[in-house]
């Protein structure tokens, strides 16, 4: 059906699986089997939506004029966020308890789910070149279209007049002392043979 349902199902599944993991740490006897099941479920749900969606959605929402630079920024922010999460995981989990950390992450997934439900449009079947037009229609903001039009006009060769070429005066090359060429010997065509 498209990308949007996969993202929403993925986030809901991640939230449920993180809640299952958090429940495995509650009580005196922690359940390793429940923790492993919850983590496996998390990986499965992450892989169907949020894993690939984190790369697919940004590549679609940016206009072709800025896509390369915008994807660089999106990738940088993705890596910074991942670094912060992995660097602070143990200290935050120790500070608020393991079950508290996984409950917090489950709540974060639900908040992102609500945000995506409201703001993420379905882009299935739309060419990448038409995304600017599509997002201008659904948001009512035509400023990106006006900016693209300005950039296209600036790059349009029909409106561009090349400057007149500047004729440079020829510089004289300094004379070199070169030996005069000798004519080849009469038997040059048979040189190197046993004739």
């Amino acid at each position: 059906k498209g990308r949007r349902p996969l993202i929403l199902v993925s986030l809901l599944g991640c939230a449920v699986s993180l809640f299952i993991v958090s429940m495995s740490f509650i009580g005196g006897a922690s359940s390793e089997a429940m923790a492993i099941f919850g983590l496996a479920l998390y990986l499965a749900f992450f892989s169907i939506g949020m894993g690939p969606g984190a790369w697919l959605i940004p590549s679609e929402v940016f206009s072709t004029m800025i896509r390369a630079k915008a994807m660089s920024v999106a990738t940088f922010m993705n890596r910074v966020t991942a670094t912060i999460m992995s660097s602070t995981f143990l200290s935050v989990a120790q500070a608020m308890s393991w079950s508290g950390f996984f409950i917090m992450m489950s709540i974060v997934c639900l908040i992102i789910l609500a945000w995506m439900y409201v703001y993420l449009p379905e882009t299935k079947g739309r060419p990448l070149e038409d995304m600017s037009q599509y997002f201008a229609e659904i948001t009512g903001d035509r400023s990106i279209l006006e900016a693209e039009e300005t950039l296209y006009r600036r790059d349009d060769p029909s409106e561009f007049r090349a400057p007149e070429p500047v004729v440079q005066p020829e510089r004289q090359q300094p004379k070199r002392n070169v030996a005069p060429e000798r004519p080849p010997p009469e038997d040059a065509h048979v040189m190197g043979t046993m004739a």
Side-chain angles (χ1 to χ4, degrees):
K1 290 195 173 205
R3 295 146 180 78
R4 191 171 194 268
L6 287 175
I7 296 288
L8 300 179
V9 166
S10 174
L11 283 165
L12 185 61
C14 286
V16 169
S17 60
L18 287 169
F19 185 75
I20 290 171
V21 172
S22 73
M23 292 297 114
S24 72
F25 290 104
I26 292 180
S30 60
S31 170
E32 292 92 7
M34 187 150 66
I36 291 171
F37 174 73
L39 288 174
L41 198 61
Y42 176 83
L43 290 174
F45 277 108
F46 182 82
S47 296
I48 65 168
M50 285 306 290
W55 302 106
L56 179 67
I57 301 297
S59 69
E60 289 182 338
V61 300
F62 296 121
S63 126
T64 54
M65 297 292 289
I66 62 166
R67 185 168 293 137
K69 290 178 182 166
M71 278 303 296
S72 297
V73 172
T75 301
F76 176 74
M77 291 311 297
N78 183 305
R79 297 293 87 204
V80 166
T81 304
T83 301
I84 291 170
M85 285 300 299
S86 60
S87 299
T88 61
F89 169 72
L90 289 175
S91 55
V92 172
Q94 291 295 329
M96 62 187 308
S97 82
W98 288 90
S99 62
F101 178 79
F102 286 108
I103 286 174
M104 178 190 74
M105 295 310 297
S106 179
I107 292 169
V108 167
C109 284
L110 292 174
I111 291 169
I112 295 171
L113 172 69
W115 191 88
M116 291 285 203
Y117 182 80
V118 171
Y119 293 109
L120 181 66
E122 180 57 68
T123 56
K124 180 183 177 189
R126 299 186 181 275
L128 287 175
E129 293 76 22
D130 296 344
M131 284 298 161
S132 298
Q133 180 68 34
Y134 176 60
F135 283 107
E137 288 171 7
I138 63 174
T139 61
D141 183 12
R142 304 198 56 82
S143 62
I144 188 69
L145 297 177
E146 294 164 3
E148 280 184 346
E149 186 178 321
T150 303
L151 288 172
Y152 280 129
R153 261 189 276 131
R154 189 177 343 153
D155 293 341
D156 187 6
S158 65
E159 294 183 19
F160 178 71
R161 235 177 67 197
E164 296 294 322
V166 177
V167 178
Q168 296 285 337
E170 286 189 37
R171 294 190 316 186
Q172 292 183 351
Q173 295 292 332
K175 291 186 179 181
R176 295 184 192 159
N177 293 334
V178 180
E181 273 189 43
R182 276 190 246 157
E186 289 179 21
D187 60 347
H189 64 285
V190 291
M191 216 179 246
T193 63
M194 306 268 290

